[in-house]
């Protein structure tokens, strides 16, 4: 009888504990609704009939400011325009080549007593490489900036070149017009040097 009474008490206590545990689990599930979906309330629409087109755009409750679109200039200058007779490059390219050629040929005549035409015949490969290098360097600013070569040369004025202090003031003299005039003088110098060599029959500076 004693063991039967003890067994009855133990079973009733276990049943009571399991019932309480079940009720606590039910309460916790109700208190923390993890499976309940979250709802996002839409942003209230603007009822103004005269709202301007520049009003901030909204999306999912976030406000986006209208940023003005960047407008880049389009380079419409073609290779044909660059190398045309009245283009920005032919005369300047010839002038740059003439400045290098006159300085090199005059110095070589002083040192080696070799006429200008003979120098060109002996060093034609160097002349081709020099022409290719100067041509590439002349086209590079157009390709690097995406602006027309005519526009770039037009900005090379005394107001835009150099600075206000020290040696930077000297750069104000190196304008596009000065380069053009120096190139023309150099071209005349090359032609004059060749003519002088032919008349003398030897190197003019020899």
């Amino acid at each position: 009888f004693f063991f039967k009474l003890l067994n009855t008490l133990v079973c009733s206590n276990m049943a009571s504990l399991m019932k309480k545990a079940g009720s606590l689990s039910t309460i916790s599930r109700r208190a923390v609704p993890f499976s309940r979906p979250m709802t996002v309330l839409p942003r209230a629409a603007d009822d103004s009939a005269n709202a301007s087109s520049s009003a901030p755009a909204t999306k999912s409750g976030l406000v986006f400011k209208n940023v003005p679109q960047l407008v880049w200039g389009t380079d419409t200058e073609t290779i044909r325009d660059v190398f045309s007779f009245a283009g920005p490059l032919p005369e300047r390219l010839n002038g740059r080549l003439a400045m290098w050629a006159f300085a090199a040929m005059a110095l070589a005549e002083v040192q080696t007593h070799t006429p200008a035409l003979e120098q060109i015949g002996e060093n034609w490969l160097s002349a081709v490489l020099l022409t290719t290098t100067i041509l590439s360097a002349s086209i590079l600013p157009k390709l690097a900036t995406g602006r027309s070569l005519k526009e770039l040369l037009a900005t090379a004025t005394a107001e835009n070149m150099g600075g206000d202090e020290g040696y930077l003031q000297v750069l104000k003299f190196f304008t596009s017009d000065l380069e053009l005039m120096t190139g023309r003088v150099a071209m005349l110098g090359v032609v004059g040097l060749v003519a002088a060599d032919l008349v003398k029959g030897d190197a003019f500076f020899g």
Side-chain angles (χ1 to χ4, degrees), residues 100-110 114 116-117 119-120 190 193-194:
W100 281 93
F102 180 80
M105 289 189 298
L107 183 61
E109 284 193 0
V110 173
T114 305
L117 291 179
Q119 293 180 36
I120 296 175
V190 170
L193 182 60
V194 172

